[in-house]
Amino acid sequence: MTLPTRQTLCKDLQRWSVKAEIGKNGICVKAFRKTLVSWLVFSYPERLLEIMLSMGHTEATSIKHYLGLPFTETDKENMKTYV
């Protein structure tokens, strides 16, 4: 399996976001990655080390960027469909 380039993935994400009627402003690979990791950390806090290592982050970076985000329990339930 060949993974798409960063540029191709960015264009795909923007195209999909327009199709989903959320617009493409701010949609990029970096935002997608941060969202995915945030959702994973929130949904599976017991797997923080695995998630952190798979992203190539230090513990300090993970804590700074992904912990303490203001997700609600409703958010968590909605995320589980995707993570």
Side-chain angles (χ1 to χ4, degrees):
M1 178 176 144
T2 303
L3 297 175
T5 65
R6 184 180 184 96
Q7 294 81 9
T8 299
L9 183 54
C10 188
K11 287 179 183 178
D12 288 343
L13 289 168
Q14 290 178 351
R15 186 178 73 251
W16 298 329
S17 66
V18 168
K19 188 173 183 176
E21 298 180 357
I22 60 172
K24 63 181 184 178
N25 189 23
I27 304 294
C28 63
V29 174
K30 185 175 181 179
F32 172 74
R33 177 185 160 120
K34 187 164 184 175
T35 300
L36 176 61
V37 175
S38 298
W39 288 17
L40 286 171
V41 168
F42 185 76
S43 298
Y44 304 100
E46 72 282 1
R47 300 188 75 179
L48 175 62
L49 183 59
E50 292 172 79
I51 296 166
M52 175 186 70
L53 292 173
S54 72
M55 293 295 123
H57 289 314
T58 64
E59 187 174 354
T61 299
S62 294
I63 291 169
K64 179 180 174 185
H65 289 288
Y66 305 116
L67 297 180
L69 294 171
F71 295 125
T72 65
E73 286 303 314
T74 301
D75 293 334
K76 184 176 182 177
E77 287 305 311
N78 291 335
M79 289 174 196
K80 288 216 178 223
T81 302
Y82 302 100
V83 297

